[in-house]
Amino acid sequence: MATFVDGYVIPIKKSNVKAYKKMAAIGCKVWMKHGALNYYECVGDDLEAKWGSSFIKLCKLKPNETVVFAFIVYKSKADRNRVNKAVMADPAMNPGNSKKFKMPFEMNRLVMGGFKTLVQA
């Protein structure tokens, strides 16, 4: 079965990882509720590249920053579009629910894209 994946790379201050984790836990529940197959939010732990370029260079990380690598798996691109539409309409995803809500990272540094699966096990 070919799947579709949304992938994210998010530079974040190390001091904001705890707040990000709380936000990601809500996101996980909402995406899974609306039909995502898998949901992963991973924080950098070994970012020194042995070959190629590193996330440190790619994201221009400052010493007080790390990176979140996240991805969500869907049945298909069409299903991704359906799920994301439902997620965006879900009240749990509305930052307006709290006047204190603040993204724990800089949105202009977030990198994302949708990907067709080439190989999967």
Side-chain angles (χ1 to χ4, degrees), residues 8-80:
Y8 305 86
V9 175
I10 308 165
I12 185 171
K13 289 182 181 177
K14 292 174 184 174
S15 61
N16 289 344
V17 170
K18 187 175 179 180
Y20 184 89
K21 184 178 179 182
K22 286 182 184 179
M23 183 186 77
I26 294 167
C28 181
K29 287 178 187 174
V30 176
W31 259 273
M32 296 302 291
K33 174 176 105 174
H34 291 293
L37 299 178
N38 288 295
Y39 184 101
Y40 293 87
E41 297 268 6
C42 312
V43 67
D45 183 56
D46 184 10
L47 300 177
E48 293 291 337
K50 311 299 184 266
W51 56 87
S53 190
S54 72
F55 277 102
I56 296 167
K57 285 183 184 178
L58 176 74
C59 297
K60 298 178 182 164
L61 295 181
K62 298 169 188 149
N64 67 338
E65 293 179 324
T66 189
V67 66
V68 169
F69 174 71
F71 59 100
I72 307 169
V73 182
Y74 307 92
K75 293 177 190 173
S76 65
K77 186 176 181 179
D79 198 52
R80 182 274 305 254

Coordinates of all heavy atoms in Angstrom, one line a residue, residues 8-80:
Y8 N 8.2 17.5 8.5 CA 8.5 18.8 9.1 C 9.9 18.8 9.7 O 10.3 17.8 10.3 CB 7.5 19.1 10.2 CG 6.1 19.1 9.8 CD1 5.4 17.9 9.8 CD2 5.4 20.2 9.3 CE1 4.0 17.8 9.4 CE2 4.1 20.1 8.9 CZ 3.4 18.9 9.0 OH 2.1 18.8 8.6
V9 N 10.6 19.9 9.5 CA 11.9 20.1 10.2 C 11.7 21.5 10.9 O 11.4 22.5 10.2 CB 13.1 20.1 9.3 CG1 14.3 20.5 10.0 CG2 13.2 18.8 8.6
I10 N 11.9 21.5 12.3 CA 11.6 22.7 13.0 C 12.7 23.1 14.0 O 12.9 22.4 15.0 CB 10.2 22.5 13.8 CG1 9.1 22.0 12.9 CG2 9.9 23.8 14.5 CD1 7.9 21.5 13.7
P11 N 13.5 24.1 13.7 CA 14.5 24.6 14.7 C 13.7 25.1 15.9 O 12.7 25.8 15.8 CB 15.2 25.7 13.9 CG 14.9 25.5 12.5 CD 13.5 24.9 12.5
I12 N 14.2 24.8 17.1 CA 13.6 25.2 18.3 C 14.6 25.4 19.4 O 15.6 24.7 19.5 CB 12.5 24.1 18.7 CG1 11.7 24.6 19.9 CG2 13.2 22.8 18.9 CD1 10.5 23.7 20.2
K13 N 14.3 26.4 20.3 CA 15.2 26.6 21.4 C 15.0 25.4 22.4 O 13.9 24.9 22.6 CB 14.8 27.9 22.2 CG 15.1 29.1 21.4 CD 14.7 30.4 22.3 CE 15.1 31.6 21.5 NZ 14.7 32.8 22.2
K14 N 16.1 25.0 22.9 CA 16.1 23.8 23.8 C 15.2 24.1 25.0 O 14.5 23.2 25.5 CB 17.5 23.5 24.3 CG 18.4 22.9 23.2 CD 19.9 22.8 23.6 CE 20.7 22.3 22.5 NZ 22.2 22.3 22.9
S15 N 15.1 25.3 25.4 CA 14.3 25.7 26.6 C 12.8 25.6 26.2 O 12.0 25.6 27.1 CB 14.6 27.1 27.1 OG 14.4 28.0 26.0
N16 N 12.4 25.5 25.0 CA 11.0 25.4 24.5 C 10.6 24.0 24.2 O 9.4 23.8 23.8 CB 10.8 26.3 23.3 CG 10.8 27.8 23.7 OD1 10.7 28.1 24.8 ND2 11.0 28.6 22.7
V17 N 11.5 23.0 24.3 CA 11.1 21.6 24.0 C 9.9 21.1 24.8 O 9.0 20.4 24.3 CB 12.3 20.7 24.0 CG1 11.9 19.2 23.9 CG2 13.3 21.1 22.9
K18 N 9.9 21.4 26.1 CA 8.9 20.9 27.0 C 7.5 21.5 26.5 O 6.5 20.8 26.5 CB 9.2 21.3 28.4 CG 8.2 20.7 29.4 CD 8.7 21.1 30.9 CE 7.7 20.5 31.9 NZ 8.1 20.8 33.3
A19 N 7.5 22.8 26.2 CA 6.2 23.4 25.7 C 5.8 22.8 24.4 O 4.6 22.5 24.1 CB 6.4 24.9 25.6
Y20 N 6.8 22.5 23.5 CA 6.5 21.9 22.2 C 5.9 20.6 22.4 O 5.0 20.2 21.7 CB 7.8 21.9 21.4 CG 7.5 21.3 20.0 CD1 7.1 22.2 19.0 CD2 7.5 20.0 19.7 CE1 6.8 21.7 17.7 CE2 7.2 19.5 18.5 CZ 6.9 20.3 17.5 OH 6.6 19.9 16.2
K21 N 6.5 19.8 23.3 CA 6.0 18.4 23.6 C 4.5 18.4 24.0 O 3.7 17.6 23.5 CB 6.8 17.7 24.7 CG 6.4 16.3 24.9 CD 7.3 15.6 25.9 CE 6.8 14.2 26.1 NZ 7.7 13.5 27.1
K22 N 4.1 19.4 24.8 CA 2.7 19.5 25.2 C 1.8 19.8 24.0 O 0.8 19.2 23.8 CB 2.5 20.6 26.2 CG 3.0 20.3 27.6 CD 2.7 21.5 28.6 CE 3.3 21.2 29.9 NZ 3.1 22.3 30.8
M23 N 2.3 20.7 23.1 CA 1.5 21.0 21.9 C 1.5 19.8 21.0 O 0.4 19.5 20.4 CB 2.2 22.2 21.2 CG 1.5 22.7 19.9 SD 2.5 24.0 19.1 CE 3.7 22.9 18.3
A24 N 2.6 19.1 20.8 CA 2.7 18.0 19.9 C 1.7 16.8 20.4 O 1.1 16.1 19.6 CB 4.1 17.5 19.8
A25 N 1.6 16.7 21.7 CA 0.7 15.6 22.3 C -0.7 15.9 21.9 O -1.5 15.0 21.5 CB 0.9 15.5 23.8
I26 N -1.1 17.2 21.9 CA -2.5 17.5 21.5 C -2.6 17.3 20.0 O -3.6 16.7 19.5 CB -2.8 19.0 21.8 CG1 -2.8 19.2 23.3 CG2 -4.1 19.5 21.1 CD1 -2.8 20.7 23.7
G27 N -1.6 17.7 19.2 CA -1.6 17.4 17.8 C -1.7 16.0 17.4 O -2.5 15.6 16.6
C28 N -1.0 15.1 18.1 CA -1.0 13.7 17.9 C -2.5 13.2 18.1 O -3.0 12.4 17.2 CB -0.1 13.0 18.9 SG 0.0 11.2 18.7
K29 N -3.1 13.5 19.2 CA -4.5 13.1 19.5 C -5.4 13.5 18.4 O -6.3 12.7 17.9 CB -5.0 13.6 20.8 CG -4.3 12.9 22.0 CD -4.8 13.5 23.3 CE -4.0 12.9 24.5 NZ -4.4 13.6 25.7
V30 N -5.3 14.7 17.9 CA -6.2 15.3 16.9 C -6.0 14.6 15.6 O -7.0 14.2 14.9 CB -6.1 16.8 16.9 CG1 -7.0 17.4 15.8 CG2 -6.5 17.4 18.2
W31 N -4.7 14.5 15.1 CA -4.5 13.9 13.8 C -4.9 12.5 13.8 O -5.5 12.0 12.8 CB -3.0 14.1 13.4 CG -2.7 15.2 12.5 CD1 -2.8 15.1 11.1 CD2 -2.4 16.5 12.7 NE1 -2.5 16.3 10.5 CE2 -2.3 17.2 11.5 CE3 -2.2 17.2 13.9 CZ2 -1.9 18.5 11.4 CZ3 -1.8 18.6 13.8 CH2 -1.7 19.2 12.6
M32 N -4.6 11.7 14.9 CA -5.0 10.3 14.9 C -6.5 10.2 15.0 O -7.1 9.3 14.3 CB -4.3 9.6 16.1 CG -2.8 9.6 16.0 SD -2.1 8.8 14.5 CE -2.6 7.1 14.9
K33 N -7.2 11.0 15.7 CA -8.6 11.0 15.8 C -9.3 11.2 14.4 O -10.3 10.5 14.1 CB -9.1 12.1 16.7 CG -10.6 12.3 16.8 CD -11.0 13.4 17.8 CE -11.5 14.6 17.1 NZ -12.0 15.7 18.0
H34 N -8.7 12.0 13.5 CA -9.2 12.3 12.2 C -8.7 11.3 11.1 O -9.1 11.5 9.9 CB -9.0 13.7 11.9 CG -9.8 14.6 12.7 ND1 -11.2 14.7 12.7 CD2 -9.5 15.5 13.7 CE1 -11.7 15.6 13.5 NE2 -10.6 16.1 14.2
G35 N -7.9 10.3 11.5 CA -7.5 9.3 10.5 C -6.1 9.2 10.1 O -5.8 8.4 9.2
A36 N -5.1 9.9 10.6 CA -3.7 9.7 10.3 C -3.4 8.3 10.7 O -3.9 7.8 11.7 CB -2.8 10.7 11.1
L37 N -2.5 7.6 10.0 CA -2.0 6.3 10.3 C -1.0 6.3 11.4 O -1.0 5.4 12.2 CB -1.5 5.6 9.0 CG -2.5 5.4 7.9 CD1 -1.8 4.8 6.7 CD2 -3.7 4.6 8.3
N38 N 0.0 7.2 11.3 CA 1.1 7.3 12.3 C 1.4 8.8 12.5 O 1.2 9.6 11.5 CB 2.3 6.6 11.8 CG 2.2 5.1 11.9 OD1 2.0 4.5 12.9 ND2 2.2 4.4 10.7
Y39 N 1.9 9.1 13.6 CA 2.3 10.5 14.0 C 3.5 10.4 14.8 O 3.6 9.8 15.8 CB 1.1 11.1 14.8 CG 1.3 12.5 15.1 CD1 0.6 13.5 14.4 CD2 2.1 13.0 16.2 CE1 0.8 14.9 14.7 CE2 2.2 14.3 16.5 CZ 1.6 15.2 15.8 OH 1.7 16.6 16.1
Y40 N 4.6 11.1 14.3 CA 5.9 11.1 15.0 C 6.4 12.6 15.2 O 6.3 13.4 14.3 CB 6.9 10.4 14.2 CG 6.7 8.9 14.1 CD1 5.9 8.4 13.1 CD2 7.3 8.0 15.0 CE1 5.7 7.0 13.0 CE2 7.1 6.7 14.9 CZ 6.3 6.2 13.9 OH 6.1 4.8 13.7
E41 N 6.8 12.9 16.4 CA 7.5 14.1 16.7 C 8.8 13.7 17.4 O 8.8 13.1 18.5 CB 6.7 15.0 17.7 CG 5.3 15.4 17.1 CD 5.4 16.8 16.4 OE1 6.5 17.3 16.3 OE2 4.3 17.2 16.1
C42 N 9.9 14.0 16.8 CA 11.2 13.5 17.3 C 12.1 14.8 17.5 O 12.2 15.7 16.7 CB 11.9 12.6 16.3 SG 10.8 11.3 15.6
V43 N 12.9 14.8 18.6 CA 13.8 15.9 18.9 C 15.2 15.5 18.7 O 15.6 14.3 19.0 CB 13.5 16.4 20.4 CG1 13.9 15.4 21.4 CG2 14.2 17.8 20.6
G44 N 16.0 16.4 18.2 CA 17.4 16.1 17.9 C 18.2 15.6 19.1 O 18.0 16.1 20.2
D45 N 19.0 14.5 18.9 CA 19.8 13.9 19.9 C 21.2 13.7 19.4 O 22.1 13.8 20.2 CB 19.1 12.6 20.4 CG 19.9 12.0 21.5 OD1 20.1 12.6 22.6 OD2 20.3 10.8 21.4
D46 N 21.4 13.4 18.2 CA 22.7 13.1 17.6 C 22.7 13.8 16.2 O 22.5 13.3 15.2 CB 22.9 11.6 17.4 CG 24.3 11.2 16.9 OD1 25.2 12.1 16.9 OD2 24.5 10.1 16.5
L47 N 23.0 15.1 16.3 CA 22.9 16.0 15.1 C 24.2 16.2 14.3 O 24.3 16.8 13.3 CB 22.3 17.3 15.4 CG 20.9 17.2 16.1 CD1 20.4 18.6 16.4 CD2 19.9 16.6 15.1
E48 N 25.3 15.7 14.8 CA 26.6 15.8 14.1 C 26.6 14.8 13.0 O 26.6 13.6 13.3 CB 27.8 15.5 15.1 CG 27.9 16.6 16.2 CD 28.4 18.0 15.6 OE1 29.0 18.0 14.5 OE2 28.1 19.0 16.3
A49 N 26.7 15.2 11.8 CA 26.6 14.3 10.6 C 28.0 13.6 10.4 O 29.0 14.2 10.5 CB 26.3 15.1 9.4
K50 N 27.9 12.3 10.2 CA 29.1 11.5 9.9 C 29.5 11.7 8.4 O 30.6 11.5 8.0 CB 28.9 10.0 10.2 CG 28.3 9.7 11.5 CD 29.2 10.2 12.7 CE 28.6 9.8 14.0 NZ 27.8 10.8 14.7
W51 N 28.5 12.0 7.6 CA 28.6 12.2 6.1 C 27.5 13.2 5.7 O 26.6 13.4 6.4 CB 28.6 10.9 5.3 CG 27.3 10.2 5.6 CD1 26.1 10.3 4.9 CD2 27.1 9.1 6.5 NE1 25.2 9.4 5.4 CE2 25.7 8.7 6.4 CE3 27.9 8.6 7.5 CZ2 25.2 7.7 7.2 CZ3 27.3 7.6 8.3 CH2 26.0 7.2 8.2
G52 N 27.7 13.8 4.6 CA 26.7 14.8 4.1 C 26.7 16.0 5.0 O 27.7 16.3 5.6
S53 N 25.6 16.7 5.0 CA 25.5 17.9 5.8 C 24.7 17.6 7.0 O 23.9 16.6 7.1 CB 24.7 19.0 5.0 OG 24.8 20.2 5.6
S54 N 24.8 18.4 8.0 CA 24.1 18.2 9.3 C 22.9 19.0 9.4 O 22.7 20.1 8.8 CB 25.0 18.4 10.5 OG 25.3 19.8 10.6
F55 N 22.0 18.6 10.3 CA 20.8 19.5 10.6 C 21.3 20.8 11.2 O 20.6 21.8 11.1 CB 19.8 18.8 11.5 CG 18.9 17.8 10.8 CD1 19.1 16.5 10.8 CD2 17.8 18.3 10.2 CE1 18.2 15.6 10.2 CE2 16.9 17.5 9.5 CZ 17.1 16.1 9.5
I56 N 22.4 20.8 11.9 CA 23.0 22.0 12.5 C 23.2 23.0 11.4 O 22.8 24.2 11.6 CB 24.2 21.6 13.3 CG1 23.9 20.7 14.5 CG2 24.9 22.9 13.8 CD1 25.1 20.1 15.2
K57 N 23.9 22.6 10.4 CA 24.2 23.5 9.3 C 22.9 23.8 8.5 O 22.6 25.0 8.1 CB 25.2 22.9 8.3 CG 26.6 22.9 8.8 CD 27.5 22.4 7.8 CE 29.0 22.3 8.3 NZ 29.9 21.7 7.3
L58 N 22.1 22.8 8.2 CA 20.9 23.0 7.4 C 20.0 24.0 8.0 O 19.4 24.9 7.3 CB 20.1 21.7 7.2 CG 18.8 21.7 6.5 CD1 19.0 22.0 5.0 CD2 18.0 20.5 6.7
C59 N 19.8 23.9 9.3 CA 18.8 24.8 10.0 C 19.5 26.0 10.6 O 18.8 26.8 11.3 CB 18.2 24.0 11.1 SG 17.2 22.6 10.5
K60 N 20.8 26.1 10.4 CA 21.6 27.2 11.0 C 21.3 27.4 12.5 O 20.9 28.4 13.0 CB 21.3 28.5 10.3 CG 21.7 28.5 8.8 CD 21.3 29.7 8.1 CE 21.7 29.6 6.6 NZ 21.1 30.5 5.7
L61 N 21.4 26.2 13.2 CA 21.1 26.2 14.6 C 22.1 27.0 15.4 O 23.3 27.0 15.2 CB 21.1 24.7 15.2 CG 20.0 23.8 14.6 CD1 20.2 22.4 15.2 CD2 18.6 24.3 14.9
K62 N 21.5 27.7 16.4 CA 22.4 28.4 17.4 C 22.7 27.4 18.5 O 22.0 26.4 18.7 CB 21.6 29.6 17.9 CG 21.2 30.6 16.8 CD 20.2 31.6 17.3 CE 19.8 32.5 16.1 NZ 18.4 33.0 16.2
P63 N 23.7 27.7 19.3 CA 24.1 26.8 20.4 C 23.0 26.4 21.4 O 23.0 25.3 21.9 CB 25.2 27.6 21.2 CG 25.8 28.5 20.1 CD 24.6 28.9 19.3
N64 N 22.0 27.3 21.6 CA 20.9 27.0 22.5 C 19.7 26.4 21.8 O 18.6 26.3 22.3 CB 20.4 28.3 23.2 CG 19.8 29.4 22.2 OD1 20.1 29.3 21.0 ND2 19.0 30.3 22.8
E65 N 19.9 25.9 20.5 CA 18.8 25.3 19.8 C 19.0 23.9 19.4 O 20.2 23.4 19.4 CB 18.6 26.1 18.4 CG 18.1 27.5 18.6 CD 17.9 28.2 17.3 OE1 18.7 28.0 16.4 OE2 17.0 29.1 17.2
T66 N 17.9 23.2 19.1 CA 18.0 21.8 18.6 C 16.9 21.8 17.5 O 16.5 22.9 17.0 CB 17.7 20.8 19.7 OG1 17.9 19.5 19.1 CG2 16.2 20.9 20.2
V67 N 16.6 20.6 17.0 CA 15.7 20.6 15.9 C 14.6 19.5 16.1 O 15.0 18.4 16.8 CB 16.4 20.3 14.5 CG1 17.1 19.0 14.5 CG2 15.5 20.5 13.3
V68 N 13.4 19.7 15.7 CA 12.4 18.7 15.8 C 12.2 18.2 14.3 O 12.1 19.0 13.4 CB 11.0 19.3 16.3 CG1 9.9 18.3 16.1 CG2 11.1 19.6 17.7
F69 N 12.2 16.9 14.2 CA 11.9 16.2 12.9 C 10.6 15.5 13.2 O 10.5 14.6 14.0 CB 13.1 15.2 12.6 CG 12.8 14.3 11.4 CD1 12.8 14.9 10.2 CD2 12.6 13.0 11.6 CE1 12.6 14.1 9.0 CE2 12.3 12.2 10.5 CZ 12.4 12.7 9.2
A70 N 9.6 15.8 12.4 CA 8.3 15.3 12.6 C 7.7 14.8 11.3 O 8.0 15.3 10.2 CB 7.4 16.3 13.2
F71 N 6.9 13.8 11.4 CA 6.2 13.3 10.2 C 4.9 12.6 10.5 O 4.7 12.0 11.6 CB 7.1 12.4 9.3 CG 7.6 11.2 9.9 CD1 7.0 10.0 9.7 CD2 8.7 11.2 10.7 CE1 7.5 8.8 10.3 CE2 9.2 10.1 11.3 CZ 8.6 8.9 11.1
I72 N 3.9 12.8 9.6 CA 2.6 12.2 9.8 C 2.3 11.3 8.6 O 2.5 11.8 7.4 CB 1.5 13.3 9.9 CG1 1.9 14.3 11.0 CG2 0.1 12.6 10.2 CD1 1.0 15.5 11.1
V73 N 1.8 10.1 8.8 CA 1.6 9.2 7.7 C 0.1 9.1 7.4 O -0.7 8.9 8.4 CB 2.2 7.8 8.0 CG1 2.0 6.8 6.8 CG2 3.7 7.9 8.3
Y74 N -0.3 9.1 6.1 CA -1.7 9.0 5.7 C -1.8 7.9 4.7 O -0.9 7.4 4.1 CB -2.1 10.3 5.0 CG -1.8 11.5 5.9 CD1 -0.7 12.2 5.7 CD2 -2.8 12.0 6.8 CE1 -0.4 13.4 6.4 CE2 -2.5 13.1 7.5 CZ -1.4 13.8 7.3 OH -1.1 15.0 8.1
K75 N -3.1 7.4 4.5 CA -3.4 6.4 3.5 C -3.0 6.9 2.1 O -2.5 6.1 1.2 CB -4.9 6.0 3.5 CG -5.3 5.4 4.7 CD -6.8 5.1 4.7 CE -7.3 4.7 6.1 NZ -8.8 4.6 6.1
S76 N -3.2 8.2 1.8 CA -3.0 8.7 0.4 C -2.9 10.2 0.5 O -3.3 10.8 1.6 CB -4.1 8.3 -0.5 OG -5.4 8.9 -0.1
K77 N -2.6 10.9 -0.6 CA -2.6 12.3 -0.6 C -4.0 12.9 -0.4 O -4.2 13.8 0.3 CB -2.0 12.8 -1.9 CG -1.8 14.3 -2.0 CD -1.2 14.7 -3.3 CE -1.0 16.2 -3.4 NZ -0.3 16.6 -4.6
A78 N -5.0 12.2 -1.1 CA -6.4 12.6 -0.9 C -6.8 12.5 0.5 O -7.5 13.4 1.1 CB -7.3 11.8 -1.8
D79 N -6.4 11.4 1.2 CA -6.8 11.2 2.6 C -6.1 12.2 3.5 O -6.6 12.8 4.4 CB -6.5 9.8 3.0 CG -7.2 9.4 4.3 OD1 -8.4 9.6 4.4 OD2 -6.5 9.0 5.3
R80 N -4.8 12.6 3.1 CA -4.1 13.6 3.9 C -4.9 14.9 3.8 O -5.1 15.6 4.8 CB -2.7 13.8 3.3 CG -1.8 14.9 4.0 CD -2.0 16.3 3.5 NE -1.8 16.6 2.1 CZ -0.8 17.2 1.5 NH1 0.2 17.6 2.2 NH2 -0.8 17.4 0.2

